[in-house]
């Protein structure tokens, strides 16, 4: 099967902290990061992360301890990523919009001992703190008094970030190798709560190398995104990719569709990395004379369509490359190099560090062109995930017969190009976030009037999914749209709030009493379906973390 590259380096840096130290030695005064303030040089990021690393050690954090980050995009988030890596602790990025059981599960299961928070994050942590036996320290980013007020009643040891980094001391050296864990990144579950995907230093630092080989970035590039740092797109595909080749990285605090391209031009971005829904939002803005006034050479965007490629290029003169397939566990597994003609509907060819096959339900390889489950395994050490944190059963199930089973369906053509077909797993994707149907249904059942819940995706006008929740009420119960929406706002991350709700007497079920979701999907949006958006029941941007 044809691959994009065949050669491998004899040696490579496999530890994130060493990557930064080496880059700082070469490019000390060169701009590296622009996030929520001024440009920061490689030397400044190295120095500031050293200060925080030493402070974490003084608070008792040791190799293997978990440190959670629940912050919006900001300079301090960047420093924390490298500080945690330098001392061999394990970063746990927490989606800033999590609340309730979604938040408790990830914090408790990871066993995070320390969390970095702002005021809004502190309020959410306070609501579940009594169910987090391992959490002992909170480091407050902004108004420490306000954070102490938010966490009043908890037994957490609270420290100011500013005080933590005031010391100029260097951290104690920690011996690390490529197999040591760098990050636990939670990804949507399929048959239960979200699972903690274990990412080693080797895997973390290998992803930028594969993207570089494919021409998705190079040393002269300035990479830009407006996705959150708690995702791999911003943290690895932009931040670490720029680091890997001495480039620059722009991490916007917030995405604004109306100004994103103009701002990218003003800041000198040459590569933009955005999500499919963002492309649609940008194209929905009114055309401007400045649309082609930029220096952007490439947009990488997943997922998107050939029609969108054409519209985007005609309007902005920016080619899109969306031919890549991967997931947190194996990222990327296939890819098309920059400058190569794209295959409509294709997801690229197999990357050089993995094997990929298409299997049937019995784990037998299907014939070329037939649809089956996509499975992947590594050809090199430390280039895929290391299993699921604290979940050996899920790890064994995913890795059965020595292949990682992705839970996705696809097919390979005669040329070895992968075509994605469908998700096998019962999960959703909305606003760039993966959502576990099971986890969402369990959260809905916390409402006293809901006896049963089943959720599924419906097509969204901006791409990805909108969510429909079908619910069966407890005997004699009644509920209004307004009451249910208020419950959603308090119990769910904003992106997981269903747009549509239908109250039903019962669900269609199989002979073994399982809900037949395919029938609910076929049912679609009915005359009795509530559309919260049409009712004006929406969550404003300033309400998302409250």
């Amino acid at each position: 099967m044809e691959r994009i590259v065949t050669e491998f380096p004899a040696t490579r840096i496999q530890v994130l902290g060493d990557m930064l130290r080496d880059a700082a030695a070469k490019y000390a005064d060169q701009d590296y990061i622009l996030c929520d303030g001024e440009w920061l040089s490689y030397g400044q990021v190295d120095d500031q992360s050293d200060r925080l690393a030493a402070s974490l050690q003084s608070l008792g954090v040791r190799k293997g301890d978990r440190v959670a980050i629940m912050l919006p995009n900001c300079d301090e988030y960047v420093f924390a990523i490298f500080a945690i890596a330098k001392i061999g602790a394990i970063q746990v990025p927490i989606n800033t919009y999590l609340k309730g059981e979604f938040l408790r599960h990830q914090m408790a299961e990871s066993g995070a001992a320390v969390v970095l928070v702002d005021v809004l994050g502190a309020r959410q942590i306070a609501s579940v703190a009594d169910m987090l036996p391992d959490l002992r320290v909170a480091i407050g980013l902004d108004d420490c008094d306000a954070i102490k007020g938010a966490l009043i009643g908890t037994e957490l040891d609270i420290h100011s970030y500013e005080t933590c980094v005031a010391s100029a001391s260097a951290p104690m050296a920690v011996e690390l190798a490529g197999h040591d864990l760098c990050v636990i990144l939670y990804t949507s579950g399929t048959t239960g709560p979200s699972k903690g995907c274990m990412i080693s230093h080797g895997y973390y630092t290998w992803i930028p190398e594969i993207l570089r080989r494919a021409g998705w970035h190079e040393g002269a590039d300035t990479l830009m995104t407006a996705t959150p740092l708690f995702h791999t797109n911003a943290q690895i595909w932009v931040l670490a990719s720029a680091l890997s080749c001495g480039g620059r990285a722009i991490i916007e605090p917030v995405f604004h569709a109306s100004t994103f391209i103009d701002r990218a031009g003003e800041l000198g971005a040459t590569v933009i990395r955005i999500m499919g829904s963002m492309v649609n939002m940008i194209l929905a803005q009114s055309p401007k004379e400045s649309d082609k006034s930029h220096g952007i050479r490439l947009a990488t965007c997943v997922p998107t369509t050939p029609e969108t490629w054409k519209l985007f290029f005609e309007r902005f003169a920016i080619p899109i490359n969306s031919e890549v397939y991967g997931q947190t566990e194996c990222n990327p597994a296939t890819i098309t190099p920059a400058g190569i003609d794209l295959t409509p509907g294709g997801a690229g060819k197999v990357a050089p560090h993995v094997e990929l096959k298409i299997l049937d339900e019995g784990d037998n390889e299907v014939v070329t062109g037939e649809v089956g489950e996509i499975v992947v395994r590594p050809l090199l050490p430390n280039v895929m995930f290391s299993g699921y944190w604290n979940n050996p059963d899920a790890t064994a199930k995913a890795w059965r017969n020595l292949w990682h089973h992705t839970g996705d369906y696809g097919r390979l053509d005669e040329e070895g190009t992968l075509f994605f077909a469908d998700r096998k797993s019962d999960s959703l994707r909305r606003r760039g976030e993966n959502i576990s149907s099971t986890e969402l249904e369990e959260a809905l059942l916390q409402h006293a009037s809901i006896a049963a819940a089943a959720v599924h995706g419906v097509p969204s006008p901006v791409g990805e999914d909108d969510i429909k929740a079908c619910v069966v009420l407890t005997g004699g119960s009644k509920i209004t749209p307004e009451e249910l929406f208020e419950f959603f706002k308090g119990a769910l991350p904003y992106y997981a709030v269903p747009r549509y709700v239908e109250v039903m007497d019962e669900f269609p079920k199989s002979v073994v009493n399982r809900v037949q979701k395919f029938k609910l999907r076929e049912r679609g949006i009915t005359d009795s379906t509530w559309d919260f958006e049409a009712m004006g029941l929406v969550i404003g941007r300033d309400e998302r973390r409250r």
Side-chain angles (χ1 to χ4, degrees):
M1 184 178 296
E2 184 180 348
R3 297 173 182 274
I4 60 167
V5 186
T6 56
E7 85 283 356
F8 294 108
T11 59
R12 63 184 177 92
I13 297 172
Q14 293 184 308
V15 178
L16 182 58
D18 288 348
M19 280 185 67
L20 177 59
R21 291 188 177 104
D22 282 12
K26 294 177 184 177
Y27 319 115
D29 297 325
Q30 179 181 309
D31 288 343
Y32 172 32
I33 295 294
L34 178 64
C35 192
D36 66 340
E38 302 294 326
W39 276 101
L40 297 169
S41 70
Y42 278 90
Q44 287 174 309
V45 175
D46 189 40
D47 174 69
Q48 289 296 313
S49 58
D50 264 355
R51 291 169 180 264
L52 180 57
S55 183
L56 289 171
Q57 287 180 328
S58 73
L59 293 172
V61 177
R62 296 295 180 261
K63 180 179 179 179
D65 289 345
R66 278 77 65 204
V67 178
I69 309 177
M70 193 175 184
L71 296 172
N73 288 359
C74 58
D75 294 342
E76 291 82 1
Y77 201 134
V78 174
F79 303 148
I81 289 170
F82 292 111
I84 295 166
K86 283 179 174 180
I87 62 174
I90 304 169
Q91 178 202 156
V92 184
I94 299 292
N95 189 318
T96 53
Y97 302 111
L98 291 190
K99 57 184 68 174
E101 177 58 22
F102 287 76
L103 175 59
R104 186 213 64 79
H105 167 69
Q106 294 188 15
M107 288 292 297
E109 209 230 17
S110 67
V114 178
V115 62
L116 282 81
V117 290
D118 60 358
V119 172
L120 294 177
R123 291 171 184 166
Q124 297 302 336
I125 291 292
S127 69
V128 296
D130 60 347
M131 296 179 280
L132 304 176
D134 297 303
L135 186 64
R136 56 182 178 80
V137 175
I139 298 176
L141 182 63
D142 36 23
D143 188 336
C144 201
D145 288 338
I147 287 175
K148 288 179 178 178
L151 294 170
I152 194 168
T154 71
E155 298 182 359
L156 297 180
D157 183 15
I158 304 168
H159 295 263
S160 161
Y161 179 90
E162 288 74 13
T163 301
C164 286
V165 298
S167 170
S169 62
M172 296 180 290
V174 177
E175 186 174 340
L176 292 170
H179 62 264
D180 285 310
L181 291 188
C182 184
V183 181
I184 299 173
L185 187 61
Y186 279 83
T187 185
S188 66
T190 57
T191 58
S194 52
K195 301 186 292 292
C197 192
M198 296 190 289
I199 299 175
S200 67
H201 280 264
Y203 179 29
Y204 193 110
T205 59
W206 178 249
I207 294 171
E209 172 66 11
I210 289 297
L211 299 177
R212 183 193 65 78
R213 290 164 179 250
W216 284 35
H217 65 260
E218 55 191 31
D221 275 325
T222 296
L223 288 72
M224 177 172 171
T225 191
T227 54
L229 280 163
F230 52 73
H231 282 324
T232 57
N233 185 68
Q235 188 169 147
I236 302 181
W237 284 50
V238 173
L239 185 68
S241 288
L243 172 64
S244 71
C245 59
R248 305 194 305 170
I250 301 168
I251 313 287
E252 289 285 270
V254 180
F255 172 67
H256 295 290
S258 60
T259 59
F260 184 81
I261 298 297
D262 282 345
R263 182 160 170 78
E266 292 167 3
L267 295 175
T270 56
V271 175
I272 56 174
R273 291 197 166 140
I274 49 182
M275 310 305 292
S277 56
M278 292 178 171
V279 171
N280 293 329
M281 293 176 191
I282 291 170
L283 286 171
Q285 307 301 310
S286 299
K288 296 180 289 188
E289 290 184 4
S290 61
D291 280 345
K292 292 184 173 68
S293 300
H294 54 74
I296 303 169
R297 70 174 182 87
L298 178 67
T300 61
C301 169
V302 182
T304 189
T305 65
E307 293 76 20
T308 303
W309 304 342
K310 182 179 179 181
L311 289 172
F312 201 77
F313 184 75
E314 288 176 348
R315 178 163 167 186
F316 298 106
I318 303 172
I320 285 181
N321 192 333
S322 62
E323 290 197 357
V324 65
Y325 168 77
Q327 48 185 213
T328 308
E329 293 86 341
C330 50
N331 188 355
T334 65
I335 191 168
T336 294
I340 302 297
D341 290 340
L342 304 183
T343 303
K349 295 182 179 179
V350 182
H353 61 292
V354 296
E355 288 185 87
L356 183 148
K357 288 187 177 181
I358 307 295
L359 304 184
D360 64 16
E361 293 296 328
D363 276 357
N364 301 300
E365 190 170 6
V366 304
V367 300
T368 299
E370 185 176 329
V371 172
E373 184 175 7
I374 303 168
V375 300
V376 186
R377 66 184 179 189
L379 290 171
L380 293 171
N382 309 316
V383 294
M384 283 180 56
F385 83 123
S386 305
Y388 298 112
W389 176 261
N390 201 30
N391 199 336
D393 290 343
T395 301
K397 183 178 180 181
W399 275 104
R400 66 183 182 273
N401 293 327
L402 301 180
W403 289 90
H404 167 61
H405 289 61
T406 65
D408 291 331
Y409 285 119
R411 63 180 174 87
L412 290 168
D413 69 7
E414 295 287 350
E415 302 298 322
T417 297
L418 177 70
F419 292 81
F420 178 83
D422 198 3
R423 279 188 298 266
K424 179 181 179 183
S425 60
D426 189 16
S427 61
L428 304 160
R429 186 168 178 84
R430 184 170 187 245
R431 308 287 175 85
E433 303 286 348
N434 291 317
I435 304 164
S436 163
S437 297
T438 304
E439 199 167 13
L440 180 53
E441 288 161 357
E442 290 175 353
L444 298 187
L445 291 175
Q446 300 305 307
H447 193 288
S449 296
I450 297 178
V455 302
H456 63 85
V458 296
S460 169
V462 295
E464 301 182 343
D465 301 312
D466 274 328
I467 301 171
K468 180 182 179 183
C470 300
V471 299
V472 175
L473 302 182
T474 56
S477 294
K478 293 184 179 180
I479 196 168
T480 66
E482 291 77 13
E483 177 190 350
L484 190 57
F485 183 73
E486 285 303 311
F487 167 73
F488 287 167
K489 284 178 64 177
L492 306 175
Y494 84 96
Y495 57 83
V497 171
R499 173 177 174 176
Y500 303 102
V501 174
E502 183 170 1
V503 178
M504 303 176 65
D505 294 330
E506 61 181 359
F507 295 150
K509 294 186 177 180
S510 68
V511 293
V512 293
N513 206 37
R514 289 184 178 176
V515 177
Q516 294 176 310
K517 285 197 176 180
F518 72 92
K519 290 188 176 180
L520 295 178
R521 292 188 184 96
E522 290 172 355
R523 183 181 178 87
I525 307 303
T526 70
D527 291 340
S528 58
T529 300
W530 296 336
D531 180 348
F532 284 162
E533 190 172 302
M535 294 176 178
L537 299 174
V538 296
I539 299 176
R541 187 185 292 271
D542 61 343
E543 300 178 289
R544 291 176 178 177
R545 297 187 63 198
R546 295 181 180 176

